Amino acid sequence: MSNLPDQIEDLQPKRRFSSSDKVYRILLTGCAALILIIVITMLIVIGQGSWLSIREFGLSFLFGQVWDPVKGEFGALPFIYGTVVSSVIAVLIATPLSIGVAVFLVEQAPRSLARPIGFLVELLAAIPSVVYGLWAIFVLAPFLRVYVQPPLQATLGWLPFFKGTPTGIGMFTGGLIMAIMITPIITAVVRDILEAVPVTQREAALALGATKWETTKIVLANASSGIAGAVILGLGRAVGETMAVTMIIGNRPHISASLFDPGYTIASVIANEFTEATGDLYLSALVEMGLILFIVTFIVTALAKLLIMSVGRKTQNVA
Amino acid sequence: MFAIRILFICVLLVSTMLVSSCFSGRRGKGDAIKIQGAGSTFINPLMQKWVSEYGNLNSNIRIDYQSIGSGGGIKQVKERTIQFGATDVAMKDEDLASAPGPILHVPVILGAVVLTYNLEGIGQTLRFSPATIADIFLGKIKTWDDERIKADNPDVPLPSVPLTVVHRSDGSGTSAVFTNYLAKVSPEWKEKVGEGTSPSFPVGLGGKGNEGVTGQVKQTPNTIGYIELAYAVKNKMPVAQIKNKAGNFVLPNFETVTTAAAETLDQTPDDLRATITDAGGQNAYPISSYVYVLIYRDQMDEVVGKTLVDFLTWGINDGQRFAQALYYSPLPEGMVKRASAKIAAVSFNGRSLRTEPQ
C-alpha cells in the first residue's frame, strides 16, 4: 500500500507521454540520421574507390571520349551524354502522357473505368526492369524498326536526329522504354496531386461558366508545383535506370546526334563491366563513373527544382 | 495489450529462428565439409551439375559455386574469401605475383566461341576466313555482299544489305577468347583494338551477356555476332564455319574443340596457362579455350584441401561425361594427365593431398 503514490504517479498521463515522446523522437531522428549516414558513407567509399582514377586522369576523365579498358584509356563524356539524352527523351515523352492519363482518371473517367485503369497503372510500376528490357528486345525494338523508324526517317530524315541505319536498338528505343517505365510513377503521383486539389475550385470554375477544359487548366495550374515534383521523381528514376536500358540502348560509348545510333549510359557501363573488371585503375575508373552518376543526378535534380521554383512563382503571380 | 502480444510473437519467432539456425550450423561441424567457389559464368551450368552429382556421391560434402564472373572469381581467390575460383582467361603474371601464395591453374573443360548471324533467305552455312572476320569486326566490311565474304562463300547468293555487328557489352571471357583469336590472326586488330574482357569494339551494337547478343542477332536482320556454342545450339541459331590454320573450314563441335586442345598440347607451358585459339591441326576449331579452376598450391586446411583435390580429380575424369549434354567439350587425354599432375601438386604442410589411385 505504501507504493500507491508511486503507482499513481506512474499512471499520470503527463509522464507517460513525455517518455513515449522521447522514444518516438529518438526513433524518428535515428531514421533521418540513418539516411544522412548512408549518403555520407557512400560518398566517402565512392570517393576513396575512385581516387586512383581521379589522380591519374584528373578533369580529362570528364571530357575524354575514349573508353578502352584494354589500353587503359578512360573517358566519361559519351556516357554522361547518353545518360542525359536518354533521360531527357524519356521525360519529354512520359510527362505529357502521364499528365494526360492522370487528368483522365481524375477529371473525366467514370468511377467504373478509373478504378481498373488506375490499377493497371500501378501494376505497370511493379514490373521488374529486366522484364521491360526483354520485352523491349523482343517486341518494342522489332516494332520500331519496321513501323516507326522508317517513316520517321522518310519524313524527318533531313534532321541530324534520324540518320543512320534503323536497327530498332539505340538511344531512341532506350529513351522510349524508360518513358514507358517512368510513366506509371509520374501518373500515380500526379493523380494523387490532382485529387488533392479542393473540389470547391472546380465547382467555382464551373459555376462561373468555365468549360470542362478550362476547369482542368485551372486545376493543373494550381497543381503545377506538385506535378513538377512528380516529373523530377520520374527523371530521377530515368537517370539511374540500368537493366532495361542496358539491354536495348546498344552500349556504344560514342557521341552521335542521331537518336537511331547506339549510345551508352553511366549506369549501364557500371552494370556491364564491373563484374569482369580486372586491374586497379579500371575498377577505379568504374567507381568514378558511379561518383559522376551521383553528381549528374544531383545537378539534374537541382536544375529541375530550380525550374519548378521559377514556374511556381510565375503561376503565383498569375493567380 | 495487443502491442504486447505482437511483441511477444516477434520475440518468439526470432528466437526460434536463432535456435534453428544454431542447430543447422552445428550439425555441419561434425561431418559436413563446406567448400565455397566462385567465378566464371560460362562454366556455371557444368559446375552446378558437378556439384550436385558429386554431392550425391558424397553426402557429407557441400560445395557452393557462385557465378559472379571470372574477374570476380580471380579477385576473391586472391583475397582468400573462397576456396577455389574459376576463370575463362588465365590469370596475368602480375595478378599471380600479387597473390598471397602460389596459385595453380587446373584446366577442367573446354568451350568454344561461335559466329552466328541473321541473314534472311540464306539456307547454307556461311564460311569465314580469319581476315574476313577481323575486317567485319573492324568495321571495314559494311555490306553482306562484300567481295571478301563472297570469296569465302562463292555459291551463296549474298544480299546487298548493310551488315550490323553485335558484340558483348559486358566484360566477359567470351570477348577475351574472341579478341585473343582476332589479335592472333590480324595484326591490325592487335594494334587497333587488342584483346581483353572488355575490348573497345570499333563498330556495332553491344548486347549484355550471351543472351543479350543472342536476342539482338535473332531480332535484328542482317546482323552477325559471337556467342558461346551452347547459346547458339539451344536457340537454334546458325553457326558459321571458320577457316583454321590448316586452311580447312571447320564447324564447332565436341570433336573439333577437343582437337584444338590436343593439337596445342606440345606448346602448352608447365603452368598450363595457354590460349588454344588459332590452333594447328586439320580438324581443329580455331576459337576454342580452356576453363580453369584456380586453387592455392599450399592449402591452409587439410580436410578442405583434400576435399577440393578429390572433387577436381573426379571432375577431370568422371565429370567429363557431363560435358557434352551441356555443350562443353571434354579435355583431351593428354591434358587430363597434365591437369591430374597439377592437382597432385596441391599440398598441405608440404605433403600432397592426393591419395593415390582415385
Side-chain angles (χ1 to χ4, degrees), chain A residues 67-71 137-138 142 145 169 243 246-247 250-252 262 264 272 275-276 282-283, chain B residues 69-72 75 167 169-171 192 195 197-198 200-206 208 216 219 221:
Chain A
W67 182 269
D68 189 344
V70 175
K71 299 201 177 87
I137 287 190
F138 290 107
R145 185 184 66 239
I169 285 162
M243 209 54 210
T246 307
M247 291 166 84
N251 298 316
R252 163 154 299 278
Y264 220 148
N272 268 330
T275 43
E276 294 282 340
Y282 186 9
L283 263 177
Chain B
S70 298
K75 229 179 145 192
H167 56 77
S169 63
D170 50 331
K192 277 194 181 158
E195 53 179 293
T197 52
S198 298
S200 159
F201 283 91
V203 289
L205 305 170
K208 182 164 165 53
Q216 290 193 359
Q219 294 302 319

mmCIF file of all heavy atoms in Angstrom, chain A residues 67-71 137-138 142 145 169 243 246-247 250-252 262 264 272 275-276 282-283, chain B residues 69-72 75 167 169-171 192 195 197-198 200-206 208 216 219 221:
data_model
loop_
_atom_site.group_PDB
_atom_site.id
_atom_site.type_symbol
_atom_site.label_atom_id
_atom_site.label_comp_id
_atom_site.label_asym_id
_atom_site.label_seq_id
_atom_site.Cartn_x
_atom_site.Cartn_y
_atom_site.Cartn_z
ATOM 1 N N TRP A 67 36.827 5.114 -74.381
ATOM 2 C CA TRP A 67 36.711 4.183 -73.260
ATOM 3 C C TRP A 67 37.290 2.865 -73.739
ATOM 4 O O TRP A 67 36.636 2.129 -74.453
ATOM 5 C CB TRP A 67 35.250 4.037 -72.833
ATOM 6 C CG TRP A 67 35.050 3.127 -71.658
ATOM 7 C CD1 TRP A 67 34.808 1.783 -71.708
ATOM 8 C CD2 TRP A 67 35.072 3.477 -70.273
ATOM 9 N NE1 TRP A 67 34.680 1.281 -70.431
ATOM 10 C CE2 TRP A 67 34.838 2.292 -69.537
ATOM 11 C CE3 TRP A 67 35.277 4.669 -69.573
ATOM 12 C CZ2 TRP A 67 34.797 2.275 -68.142
ATOM 13 C CZ3 TRP A 67 35.230 4.648 -68.187
ATOM 14 C CH2 TRP A 67 34.992 3.471 -67.486
ATOM 15 N N ASP A 68 38.555 2.631 -73.406
ATOM 16 C CA ASP A 68 39.224 1.441 -73.897
ATOM 17 C C ASP A 68 39.961 0.751 -72.760
ATOM 18 O O ASP A 68 41.121 1.051 -72.476
ATOM 19 C CB ASP A 68 40.205 1.825 -75.022
ATOM 20 C CG ASP A 68 40.761 0.599 -75.721
ATOM 21 O OD1 ASP A 68 40.643 -0.506 -75.159
ATOM 22 O OD2 ASP A 68 41.308 0.741 -76.823
ATOM 23 N N PRO A 69 39.292 -0.188 -72.081
ATOM 24 C CA PRO A 69 39.904 -0.860 -70.935
ATOM 25 C C PRO A 69 41.174 -1.617 -71.320
ATOM 26 O O PRO A 69 42.072 -1.764 -70.492
ATOM 27 C CB PRO A 69 38.827 -1.838 -70.469
ATOM 28 C CG PRO A 69 37.553 -1.296 -71.009
ATOM 29 C CD PRO A 69 37.903 -0.616 -72.293
ATOM 30 N N VAL A 70 41.233 -2.089 -72.573
ATOM 31 C CA VAL A 70 42.407 -2.858 -72.979
ATOM 32 C C VAL A 70 43.651 -1.981 -72.928
ATOM 33 O O VAL A 70 44.710 -2.389 -72.461
ATOM 34 C CB VAL A 70 42.213 -3.434 -74.401
ATOM 35 C CG1 VAL A 70 43.472 -4.131 -74.866
ATOM 36 C CG2 VAL A 70 41.042 -4.398 -74.430
ATOM 37 N N LYS A 71 43.517 -0.731 -73.414
ATOM 38 C CA LYS A 71 44.676 0.153 -73.441
ATOM 39 C C LYS A 71 44.745 1.034 -72.195
ATOM 40 O O LYS A 71 45.659 1.856 -72.068
ATOM 41 C CB LYS A 71 44.614 1.042 -74.693
ATOM 42 C CG LYS A 71 44.631 0.225 -75.985
ATOM 43 C CD LYS A 71 45.066 1.061 -77.171
ATOM 44 C CE LYS A 71 45.156 0.247 -78.446
ATOM 45 N NZ LYS A 71 43.892 0.157 -79.177
ATOM 46 N N ILE A 137 13.532 -5.838 -76.225
ATOM 47 C CA ILE A 137 14.321 -6.531 -77.250
ATOM 48 C C ILE A 137 13.412 -7.286 -78.215
ATOM 49 O O ILE A 137 13.575 -7.229 -79.427
ATOM 50 C CB ILE A 137 15.308 -7.535 -76.608
ATOM 51 C CG1 ILE A 137 16.461 -6.798 -75.943
ATOM 52 C CG2 ILE A 137 15.860 -8.488 -77.655
ATOM 53 C CD1 ILE A 137 17.572 -7.716 -75.499
ATOM 54 N N PHE A 138 12.434 -8.004 -77.649
ATOM 55 C CA PHE A 138 11.680 -8.939 -78.483
ATOM 56 C C PHE A 138 10.431 -8.336 -79.123
ATOM 57 O O PHE A 138 9.930 -8.857 -80.100
ATOM 58 C CB PHE A 138 11.315 -10.189 -77.674
ATOM 59 C CG PHE A 138 12.516 -11.032 -77.370
ATOM 60 C CD1 PHE A 138 13.054 -11.081 -76.099
ATOM 61 C CD2 PHE A 138 13.142 -11.743 -78.378
ATOM 62 C CE1 PHE A 138 14.188 -11.836 -75.830
ATOM 63 C CE2 PHE A 138 14.272 -12.496 -78.119
ATOM 64 C CZ PHE A 138 14.793 -12.544 -76.845
ATOM 65 N N PRO A 142 11.814 -4.622 -82.594
ATOM 66 C CA PRO A 142 11.394 -5.011 -83.948
ATOM 67 C C PRO A 142 10.246 -4.141 -84.460
ATOM 68 O O PRO A 142 10.226 -3.773 -85.637
ATOM 69 C CB PRO A 142 10.932 -6.464 -83.773
ATOM 70 C CG PRO A 142 11.617 -6.950 -82.559
ATOM 71 C CD PRO A 142 11.771 -5.764 -81.666
ATOM 72 N N ARG A 145 11.619 -0.815 -85.487
ATOM 73 C CA ARG A 145 12.447 -0.939 -86.680
ATOM 74 C C ARG A 145 11.597 -1.002 -87.938
ATOM 75 O O ARG A 145 11.937 -0.432 -88.971
ATOM 76 C CB ARG A 145 13.323 -2.191 -86.567
ATOM 77 C CG ARG A 145 14.301 -2.343 -87.707
ATOM 78 C CD ARG A 145 15.083 -3.633 -87.603
ATOM 79 N NE ARG A 145 14.239 -4.783 -87.768
ATOM 80 C CZ ARG A 145 14.085 -5.739 -86.871
ATOM 81 N NH1 ARG A 145 14.721 -5.662 -85.719
ATOM 82 N NH2 ARG A 145 13.298 -6.766 -87.103
ATOM 83 N N ILE A 169 17.489 -0.716 -82.246
ATOM 84 C CA ILE A 169 18.228 -0.643 -80.996
ATOM 85 C C ILE A 169 19.018 0.654 -80.988
ATOM 86 O O ILE A 169 19.612 1.017 -81.994
ATOM 87 C CB ILE A 169 19.159 -1.867 -80.874
ATOM 88 C CG1 ILE A 169 18.314 -3.083 -80.515
ATOM 89 C CG2 ILE A 169 20.237 -1.650 -79.830
ATOM 90 C CD1 ILE A 169 18.992 -4.379 -80.782
ATOM 91 N N MET A 243 18.982 -1.738 -66.010
ATOM 92 C CA MET A 243 18.858 -3.036 -66.680
ATOM 93 C C MET A 243 18.164 -2.930 -68.051
ATOM 94 O O MET A 243 18.726 -3.344 -69.063
ATOM 95 C CB MET A 243 18.056 -3.948 -65.753
ATOM 96 C CG MET A 243 18.410 -5.381 -65.922
ATOM 97 S SD MET A 243 20.171 -5.584 -65.727
ATOM 98 C CE MET A 243 20.382 -6.969 -66.794
ATOM 99 N N THR A 246 20.209 -0.968 -70.566
ATOM 100 C CA THR A 246 21.395 -1.700 -70.992
ATOM 101 C C THR A 246 21.052 -2.699 -72.088
ATOM 102 O O THR A 246 21.815 -2.908 -73.026
ATOM 103 C CB THR A 246 21.989 -2.459 -69.796
ATOM 104 O OG1 THR A 246 22.177 -1.542 -68.745
ATOM 105 C CG2 THR A 246 23.297 -3.096 -70.158
ATOM 106 N N MET A 247 19.887 -3.304 -71.963
ATOM 107 C CA MET A 247 19.537 -4.355 -72.909
ATOM 108 C C MET A 247 19.164 -3.800 -74.273
ATOM 109 O O MET A 247 19.147 -4.539 -75.260
ATOM 110 C CB MET A 247 18.380 -5.182 -72.339
ATOM 111 C CG MET A 247 18.822 -5.997 -71.144
ATOM 112 S SD MET A 247 17.456 -6.661 -70.210
ATOM 113 C CE MET A 247 17.087 -8.125 -71.128
ATOM 114 N N GLY A 250 22.177 -0.355 -76.958
ATOM 115 C CA GLY A 250 23.233 -0.621 -77.925
ATOM 116 C C GLY A 250 24.632 -0.602 -77.335
ATOM 117 O O GLY A 250 25.561 -1.137 -77.926
ATOM 118 N N ASN A 251 24.800 0.056 -76.197
ATOM 119 C CA ASN A 251 26.056 0.017 -75.451
ATOM 120 C C ASN A 251 27.282 0.387 -76.270
ATOM 121 O O ASN A 251 28.252 -0.364 -76.332
ATOM 122 C CB ASN A 251 26.255 -1.366 -74.823
ATOM 123 C CG ASN A 251 25.170 -1.688 -73.826
ATOM 124 O OD1 ASN A 251 24.785 -0.856 -73.011
ATOM 125 N ND2 ASN A 251 24.651 -2.892 -73.893
ATOM 126 N N ARG A 252 27.234 1.527 -76.906
ATOM 127 C CA ARG A 252 28.392 2.006 -77.652
ATOM 128 C C ARG A 252 28.787 3.377 -77.124
ATOM 129 O O ARG A 252 28.005 4.323 -77.207
ATOM 130 C CB ARG A 252 28.054 2.077 -79.139
ATOM 131 C CG ARG A 252 28.983 2.915 -79.989
ATOM 132 C CD ARG A 252 28.972 2.450 -81.404
ATOM 133 N NE ARG A 252 29.421 1.069 -81.459
ATOM 134 C CZ ARG A 252 30.714 0.735 -81.450
ATOM 135 N NH1 ARG A 252 31.644 1.649 -81.442
ATOM 136 N NH2 ARG A 252 31.066 -0.522 -81.479
ATOM 137 N N PRO A 262 23.413 3.659 -81.643
ATOM 138 C CA PRO A 262 23.528 3.160 -80.270
ATOM 139 C C PRO A 262 24.216 4.172 -79.359
ATOM 140 O O PRO A 262 25.028 4.979 -79.815
ATOM 141 C CB PRO A 262 24.371 1.885 -80.429
ATOM 142 C CG PRO A 262 25.029 1.998 -81.755
ATOM 143 C CD PRO A 262 24.145 2.848 -82.604
ATOM 144 N N TYR A 264 25.186 4.880 -74.807
ATOM 145 C CA TYR A 264 25.601 4.179 -73.586
ATOM 146 C C TYR A 264 25.266 5.076 -72.399
ATOM 147 O O TYR A 264 25.323 6.296 -72.520
ATOM 148 C CB TYR A 264 27.114 3.928 -73.627
ATOM 149 C CG TYR A 264 27.564 2.585 -73.099
ATOM 150 C CD1 TYR A 264 28.682 1.949 -73.631
ATOM 151 C CD2 TYR A 264 26.894 1.969 -72.060
ATOM 152 C CE1 TYR A 264 29.109 0.719 -73.165
ATOM 153 C CE2 TYR A 264 27.316 0.736 -71.589
ATOM 154 C CZ TYR A 264 28.420 0.116 -72.134
ATOM 155 O OH TYR A 264 28.843 -1.093 -71.668
ATOM 156 N N ASN A 272 27.563 -3.357 -66.775
ATOM 157 C CA ASN A 272 28.169 -4.217 -67.775
ATOM 158 C C ASN A 272 29.563 -4.681 -67.395
ATOM 159 O O ASN A 272 29.924 -5.827 -67.582
ATOM 160 C CB ASN A 272 28.276 -3.472 -69.109
ATOM 161 C CG ASN A 272 27.076 -3.704 -69.992
ATOM 162 O OD1 ASN A 272 26.462 -4.753 -69.929
ATOM 163 N ND2 ASN A 272 26.739 -2.726 -70.790
ATOM 164 N N THR A 275 31.652 -6.543 -63.109
ATOM 165 C CA THR A 275 31.926 -7.920 -62.676
ATOM 166 C C THR A 275 33.246 -8.444 -63.227
ATOM 167 O O THR A 275 33.913 -9.230 -62.579
ATOM 168 C CB THR A 275 30.823 -8.875 -63.150
ATOM 169 O OG1 THR A 275 30.510 -8.546 -64.497
ATOM 170 C CG2 THR A 275 29.587 -8.752 -62.302
ATOM 171 N N GLU A 276 33.596 -8.031 -64.409
ATOM 172 C CA GLU A 276 34.790 -8.610 -65.022
ATOM 173 C C GLU A 276 35.946 -7.617 -65.059
ATOM 174 O O GLU A 276 36.916 -7.825 -65.786
ATOM 175 C CB GLU A 276 34.478 -9.086 -66.449
ATOM 176 C CG GLU A 276 33.514 -10.236 -66.509
ATOM 177 C CD GLU A 276 34.149 -11.574 -66.184
ATOM 178 O OE1 GLU A 276 35.373 -11.697 -66.281
ATOM 179 O OE2 GLU A 276 33.412 -12.496 -65.821
ATOM 180 N N TYR A 282 41.245 0.309 -63.781
ATOM 181 C CA TYR A 282 39.976 0.031 -64.468
ATOM 182 C C TYR A 282 38.830 0.082 -63.454
ATOM 183 O O TYR A 282 37.820 0.769 -63.651
ATOM 184 C CB TYR A 282 40.091 -1.344 -65.126
ATOM 185 C CG TYR A 282 38.942 -1.773 -66.008
ATOM 186 C CD1 TYR A 282 37.929 -0.894 -66.365
ATOM 187 C CD2 TYR A 282 38.882 -3.072 -66.488
ATOM 188 C CE1 TYR A 282 36.888 -1.309 -67.170
ATOM 189 C CE2 TYR A 282 37.853 -3.500 -67.298
ATOM 190 C CZ TYR A 282 36.852 -2.613 -67.628
ATOM 191 O OH TYR A 282 35.818 -3.035 -68.427
ATOM 192 N N LEU A 283 39.010 -0.640 -62.347
ATOM 193 C CA LEU A 283 37.987 -0.647 -61.293
ATOM 194 C C LEU A 283 37.738 0.761 -60.783
ATOM 195 O O LEU A 283 36.602 1.191 -60.613
ATOM 196 C CB LEU A 283 38.461 -1.526 -60.128
ATOM 197 C CG LEU A 283 37.942 -2.955 -60.130
ATOM 198 C CD1 LEU A 283 38.548 -3.728 -58.973
ATOM 199 C CD2 LEU A 283 36.428 -2.964 -60.024
ATOM 200 N N GLY B 69 31.311 -14.152 -62.360
ATOM 201 C CA GLY B 69 32.206 -13.646 -63.407
ATOM 202 C C GLY B 69 33.657 -13.994 -63.096
ATOM 203 O O GLY B 69 34.049 -14.034 -61.933
ATOM 204 N N SER B 70 34.441 -14.212 -64.160
ATOM 205 C CA SER B 70 35.830 -14.631 -63.977
ATOM 206 C C SER B 70 36.629 -13.611 -63.183
ATOM 207 O O SER B 70 37.404 -13.970 -62.287
ATOM 208 C CB SER B 70 36.494 -14.832 -65.337
ATOM 209 O OG SER B 70 35.844 -15.837 -66.051
ATOM 210 N N GLY B 71 36.443 -12.333 -63.499
ATOM 211 C CA GLY B 71 37.187 -11.276 -62.805
ATOM 212 C C GLY B 71 36.933 -11.332 -61.312
ATOM 213 O O GLY B 71 37.855 -11.258 -60.504
ATOM 214 N N GLY B 72 35.657 -11.486 -60.952
ATOM 215 C CA GLY B 72 35.286 -11.579 -59.543
ATOM 216 C C GLY B 72 35.881 -12.812 -58.894
ATOM 217 O O GLY B 72 36.317 -12.776 -57.736
ATOM 218 N N LYS B 75 39.516 -12.215 -58.168
ATOM 219 C CA LYS B 75 39.639 -11.282 -57.041
ATOM 220 C C LYS B 75 39.416 -11.985 -55.708
ATOM 221 O O LYS B 75 40.163 -11.795 -54.744
ATOM 222 C CB LYS B 75 38.610 -10.170 -57.218
ATOM 223 C CG LYS B 75 39.233 -8.816 -57.054
ATOM 224 C CD LYS B 75 38.257 -7.725 -57.242
ATOM 225 C CE LYS B 75 38.677 -6.649 -56.267
ATOM 226 N NZ LYS B 75 37.739 -5.630 -56.076
ATOM 227 N N HIS B 167 28.164 -7.255 -80.531
ATOM 228 C CA HIS B 167 29.211 -7.795 -79.668
ATOM 229 C C HIS B 167 28.764 -7.731 -78.219
ATOM 230 O O HIS B 167 27.732 -7.142 -77.910
ATOM 231 C CB HIS B 167 30.517 -7.022 -79.873
ATOM 232 C CG HIS B 167 30.372 -5.546 -79.650
ATOM 233 N ND1 HIS B 167 30.301 -4.987 -78.395
ATOM 234 C CD2 HIS B 167 30.242 -4.512 -80.517
ATOM 235 C CE1 HIS B 167 30.158 -3.683 -78.505
ATOM 236 N NE2 HIS B 167 30.104 -3.358 -79.789
ATOM 237 N N SER B 169 28.610 -6.359 -74.545
ATOM 238 C CA SER B 169 28.862 -5.057 -73.938
ATOM 239 C C SER B 169 29.408 -5.218 -72.537
ATOM 240 O O SER B 169 30.102 -4.349 -72.023
ATOM 241 C CB SER B 169 27.569 -4.253 -73.890
ATOM 242 O OG SER B 169 26.630 -4.915 -73.069
ATOM 243 N N ASP B 170 29.110 -6.336 -71.884
ATOM 244 C CA ASP B 170 29.626 -6.553 -70.537
ATOM 245 C C ASP B 170 30.994 -7.226 -70.634
ATOM 246 O O ASP B 170 31.308 -7.883 -71.620
ATOM 247 C CB ASP B 170 28.659 -7.424 -69.741
ATOM 248 C CG ASP B 170 28.267 -8.691 -70.503
ATOM 249 O OD1 ASP B 170 28.258 -8.640 -71.733
ATOM 250 O OD2 ASP B 170 28.001 -9.704 -69.852
ATOM 251 N N GLY B 171 31.791 -7.037 -69.626
ATOM 252 C CA GLY B 171 33.092 -7.678 -69.603
ATOM 253 C C GLY B 171 32.891 -9.185 -69.550
ATOM 254 O O GLY B 171 32.077 -9.663 -68.772
ATOM 255 N N LYS B 192 45.008 -2.024 -83.215
ATOM 256 C CA LYS B 192 43.926 -1.055 -83.014
ATOM 257 C C LYS B 192 43.064 -1.358 -81.797
ATOM 258 O O LYS B 192 42.614 -0.458 -81.102
ATOM 259 C CB LYS B 192 43.023 -1.024 -84.256
ATOM 260 C CG LYS B 192 43.555 -0.146 -85.357
ATOM 261 C CD LYS B 192 42.470 0.097 -86.390
ATOM 262 C CE LYS B 192 42.977 0.955 -87.534
ATOM 263 N NZ LYS B 192 42.176 0.775 -88.736
ATOM 264 N N GLU B 195 43.335 -7.256 -77.077
ATOM 265 C CA GLU B 195 42.499 -8.315 -76.535
ATOM 266 C C GLU B 195 42.204 -8.060 -75.070
ATOM 267 O O GLU B 195 42.984 -7.418 -74.376
ATOM 268 C CB GLU B 195 43.185 -9.666 -76.708
ATOM 269 C CG GLU B 195 44.597 -9.713 -76.154
ATOM 270 C CD GLU B 195 45.219 -11.080 -76.325
ATOM 271 O OE1 GLU B 195 44.728 -12.009 -75.680
ATOM 272 O OE2 GLU B 195 46.189 -11.208 -77.092
ATOM 273 N N THR B 197 38.839 -8.598 -71.714
ATOM 274 C CA THR B 197 37.467 -8.961 -71.371
ATOM 275 C C THR B 197 36.483 -7.876 -71.805
ATOM 276 O O THR B 197 35.333 -8.156 -72.070
ATOM 277 C CB THR B 197 37.314 -9.193 -69.867
ATOM 278 O OG1 THR B 197 37.839 -8.056 -69.187
ATOM 279 C CG2 THR B 197 38.048 -10.429 -69.413
ATOM 280 N N SER B 198 36.942 -6.591 -71.852
ATOM 281 C CA SER B 198 36.071 -5.509 -72.311
ATOM 282 C C SER B 198 36.766 -4.710 -73.389
ATOM 283 O O SER B 198 37.138 -3.570 -73.177
ATOM 284 C CB SER B 198 35.711 -4.569 -71.159
ATOM 285 O OG SER B 198 35.009 -5.252 -70.182
ATOM 286 N N SER B 200 37.386 -2.433 -76.716
ATOM 287 C CA SER B 200 36.614 -1.331 -77.263
ATOM 288 C C SER B 200 36.381 -1.596 -78.744
ATOM 289 O O SER B 200 37.238 -1.340 -79.582
ATOM 290 C CB SER B 200 37.411 -0.045 -77.027
ATOM 291 O OG SER B 200 37.025 0.953 -77.886
ATOM 292 N N PHE B 201 35.234 -2.150 -79.064
ATOM 293 C CA PHE B 201 34.937 -2.522 -80.446
ATOM 294 C C PHE B 201 34.736 -1.272 -81.304
ATOM 295 O O PHE B 201 34.048 -0.346 -80.889
ATOM 296 C CB PHE B 201 33.676 -3.381 -80.509
ATOM 297 C CG PHE B 201 33.893 -4.800 -80.095
ATOM 298 C CD1 PHE B 201 33.711 -5.175 -78.778
ATOM 299 C CD2 PHE B 201 34.301 -5.754 -81.008
ATOM 300 C CE1 PHE B 201 33.925 -6.489 -78.381
ATOM 301 C CE2 PHE B 201 34.520 -7.066 -80.625
ATOM 302 C CZ PHE B 201 34.334 -7.431 -79.307
ATOM 303 N N PRO B 202 35.327 -1.255 -82.509
ATOM 304 C CA PRO B 202 35.213 -0.054 -83.351
ATOM 305 C C PRO B 202 33.794 0.153 -83.894
ATOM 306 O O PRO B 202 33.400 1.275 -84.153
ATOM 307 C CB PRO B 202 36.175 -0.323 -84.508
ATOM 308 C CG PRO B 202 36.983 -1.509 -84.123
ATOM 309 C CD PRO B 202 36.192 -2.267 -83.119
ATOM 310 N N VAL B 203 33.033 -0.910 -84.097
ATOM 311 C CA VAL B 203 31.667 -0.746 -84.636
ATOM 312 C C VAL B 203 30.705 -1.679 -83.915
ATOM 313 O O VAL B 203 31.110 -2.572 -83.185
ATOM 314 C CB VAL B 203 31.583 -1.095 -86.145
ATOM 315 C CG1 VAL B 203 32.272 -0.063 -86.982
ATOM 316 C CG2 VAL B 203 32.136 -2.485 -86.394
ATOM 317 N N GLY B 204 29.433 -1.463 -84.138
ATOM 318 C CA GLY B 204 28.434 -2.438 -83.745
ATOM 319 C C GLY B 204 27.612 -2.100 -82.536
ATOM 320 O O GLY B 204 27.814 -1.092 -81.871
ATOM 321 N N LEU B 205 26.644 -2.985 -82.280
ATOM 322 C CA LEU B 205 25.767 -2.845 -81.134
ATOM 323 C C LEU B 205 26.288 -3.741 -80.019
ATOM 324 O O LEU B 205 26.797 -4.819 -80.279
ATOM 325 C CB LEU B 205 24.347 -3.307 -81.485
ATOM 326 C CG LEU B 205 23.660 -2.660 -82.681
ATOM 327 C CD1 LEU B 205 22.389 -3.413 -83.011
ATOM 328 C CD2 LEU B 205 23.356 -1.210 -82.360
ATOM 329 N N GLY B 206 26.121 -3.297 -78.770
ATOM 330 C CA GLY B 206 26.544 -4.123 -77.652
ATOM 331 C C GLY B 206 25.341 -4.779 -77.005
ATOM 332 O O GLY B 206 24.367 -4.127 -76.689
ATOM 333 N N LYS B 208 24.051 -7.252 -73.734
ATOM 334 C CA LYS B 208 24.517 -7.668 -72.408
ATOM 335 C C LYS B 208 24.383 -9.167 -72.248
ATOM 336 O O LYS B 208 23.300 -9.715 -72.341
ATOM 337 C CB LYS B 208 23.706 -6.965 -71.331
ATOM 338 C CG LYS B 208 24.178 -7.324 -69.937
ATOM 339 C CD LYS B 208 23.657 -6.353 -68.915
ATOM 340 C CE LYS B 208 23.815 -6.883 -67.513
ATOM 341 N NZ LYS B 208 25.179 -7.307 -67.191
ATOM 342 N N GLN B 216 19.682 -9.972 -79.700
ATOM 343 C CA GLN B 216 19.800 -8.907 -80.692
ATOM 344 C C GLN B 216 20.046 -9.456 -82.087
ATOM 345 O O GLN B 216 19.515 -8.936 -83.066
ATOM 346 C CB GLN B 216 20.908 -7.919 -80.296
ATOM 347 C CG GLN B 216 20.504 -7.096 -79.086
ATOM 348 C CD GLN B 216 21.396 -5.902 -78.841
ATOM 349 O OE1 GLN B 216 22.350 -5.673 -79.571
ATOM 350 N NE2 GLN B 216 21.091 -5.150 -77.805
ATOM 351 N N GLN B 219 16.740 -10.906 -83.315
ATOM 352 C CA GLN B 219 15.682 -9.941 -83.565
ATOM 353 C C GLN B 219 16.010 -8.943 -84.660
ATOM 354 O O GLN B 219 15.123 -8.283 -85.177
ATOM 355 C CB GLN B 219 15.356 -9.166 -82.277
ATOM 356 C CG GLN B 219 14.755 -10.014 -81.189
ATOM 357 C CD GLN B 219 13.483 -10.677 -81.648
ATOM 358 O OE1 GLN B 219 12.676 -10.070 -82.325
ATOM 359 N NE2 GLN B 219 13.309 -11.944 -81.308
ATOM 360 N N PRO B 221 17.553 -8.121 -88.341
ATOM 361 C CA PRO B 221 18.016 -8.723 -89.593
ATOM 362 C C PRO B 221 19.408 -8.213 -89.976
ATOM 363 O O PRO B 221 19.796 -7.101 -89.601
ATOM 364 C CB PRO B 221 16.983 -8.241 -90.627
ATOM 365 C CG PRO B 221 15.844 -7.702 -89.850
ATOM 366 C CD PRO B 221 16.371 -7.277 -88.532
#
